[in-house]
Amino acid sequence: MRGDATLPSTREAKLLGNFRHPFIVQFFASFLENKDFCIVTEYCEGGDLHCYIQRQKDEGKNLTEGHVMEWFIQLLLGVNYLHERLVMHRDLKTKNIFLKDGILKIGDFGVSRILAPPDLATTITGTASYMSPELFSNAGYNTKCDIWSLGCILYEMCSLNRAFDCPKWIKLVSLIVNGPSPALPAIYSAELNDILQRMLRKDPAPRPSAKEILQFPYVTCRGQVLSQWLQEVIRQDRKDSIDEDVARITAAMYVQHLCLC
């Protein structure tokens, strides 16, 4: 990392270090080691979701819908937590989802962006197969890009294949921007496939937010037990309200702006 790039990264790491959620990899510390910017997080002994899916594919074993829904709801709750705090992950993919004690945790915030509405991000970043259509336009994008990526992850958990995959960049972009959205294998319910199709809408405006998806009847029904457990965990662990988080992030952004001017 260039010397002039370390200061903003350090500030952002400290902001992310304030997050506490059971479905987000916990951040402990960051430091500079020669030219490397290092971060210390909790250890996830189960590896990443990409490797887990690959093992299932090699063994010819699909995940049950109950299993998929449990993990999907965990990711929705983690993404909603970030979005409520004005953070876009921008690189959600199976390799950035980690397993610890049988649950999923979102990690690797290297290209995350703090976004104060109604601002839009314009930098093209992330992993091509999980990028949303609006990232390839000049119109800007917001947290709905994470919902698209999460839809790609949902499809991958069900089909054991990527939703959009092509070795040639131009064809991949064309597939994402103009191609049809893939449907789930027939072993999964029409309700789950409907959720996927809504997440993979080309236009980000009607694409539902994580909070809205959590309120879908099919998701609510499946997530009742998990929600009760999560509410108790958050009640014990959460020290700051969302408003306090937003105020702290806004203040930090203002200080950073003064330093860069």
Side-chain angles (χ1 to χ4, degrees):
M1 179 176 285
R2 301 188 317 273
D4 60 353
T6 58
L7 192 56
S9 297
T10 302
R11 291 198 182 104
E12 187 165 18
K14 288 181 178 179
L15 290 176
L16 294 171
N18 291 319
F19 296 157
R20 297 289 185 275
H21 194 277
F23 305 132
I24 295 177
V25 174
Q26 187 170 353
F27 172 98
F28 292 127
S30 64
F31 59 92
L32 286 172
E33 179 69 22
N34 295 323
K35 294 184 178 180
D36 296 322
F37 180 76
C38 307
I39 61 173
V40 182
T41 68
E42 67 177 313
Y43 177 62
C44 296
E45 81 291 337
D48 62 48
L49 182 58
H50 171 78
C51 290
Y52 181 91
I53 290 175
Q54 189 59 53
R55 288 195 298 269
Q56 294 295 115
K57 186 175 182 179
D58 292 341
E59 296 173 4
K61 297 179 180 179
N62 285 91
L63 279 69
T64 65
E65 184 155 341
H67 191 176
V68 169
M69 285 302 298
E70 180 180 345
W71 277 359
F72 178 53
I73 292 171
Q74 291 174 9
L75 294 177
L76 281 171
L77 290 165
V79 168
N80 184 59
Y81 179 89
L82 293 173
H83 289 178
E84 284 183 328
R85 286 153 180 79
L86 310 180
V87 173
M88 290 188 297
H89 189 284
R90 297 206 299 181
D91 197 19
L92 287 173
K93 58 183 178 181
T94 53
K95 286 187 177 181
N96 285 343
I97 307 296
F98 302 93
L99 285 82
K100 183 177 179 65
D101 299 327
I103 67 173
L104 296 187
K105 289 177 174 279
I106 300 170
D108 197 345
F109 293 88
V111 295
S112 297
R113 164 80 185 273
I114 298 166
L115 189 69
D119 291 347
L120 294 175
T122 56
T123 305
I124 295 180
T125 186
T127 302
S129 294
Y130 301 86
M131 288 182 181
S132 60
E134 61 267 25
L135 264 72
F136 301 103
S137 71
N138 295 320
Y141 58 91
N142 56 22
T143 54
K144 294 294 184 71
C145 70
D146 284 344
I147 300 302
W148 173 280
S149 301
L150 190 54
C152 293
I153 293 172
L154 172 60
Y155 178 85
E156 201 165 336
M157 287 195 293
C158 294
S159 71
L160 309 182
N161 292 295
R162 287 183 173 179
F164 303 94
D165 198 14
C166 182
K168 295 185 178 181
W169 170 262
I170 298 299
K171 289 187 177 181
L172 176 60
V173 172
S174 177
L175 186 63
I176 292 172
V177 174
N178 302 312
S181 297
L184 294 180
I187 61 172
Y188 297 99
S189 68
E191 291 83 356
L192 185 57
N193 187 63
D194 178 66
I195 292 173
L196 174 71
Q197 299 307 314
R198 295 173 71 173
M199 297 175 73
L200 294 183
R201 286 172 172 165
K202 306 295 184 182
D203 181 0
R207 204 179 297 157
S209 66
K211 183 176 182 179
E212 290 171 336
I213 298 171
L214 285 166
Q215 295 172 349
F216 289 171
Y218 184 71
V219 177
T220 301
C221 179
R222 292 276 184 160
Q224 286 178 349
V225 175
L226 181 63
S227 296
Q228 292 173 0
W229 171 81
L230 178 70
Q231 287 171 8
E232 181 61 28
V233 170
I234 292 180
R235 188 179 299 112
Q236 295 175 0
D237 187 57
R238 184 172 171 179
K239 298 178 181 179
D240 299 316
S241 69
I242 293 172
D243 289 340
E244 290 170 338
D245 281 335
V246 171
R248 183 168 56 252
I249 290 172
T250 302
M253 290 174 64
Y254 179 69
V255 171
Q256 180 173 335
H257 173 72
L258 292 179
C259 292
L260 294 176
C261 291

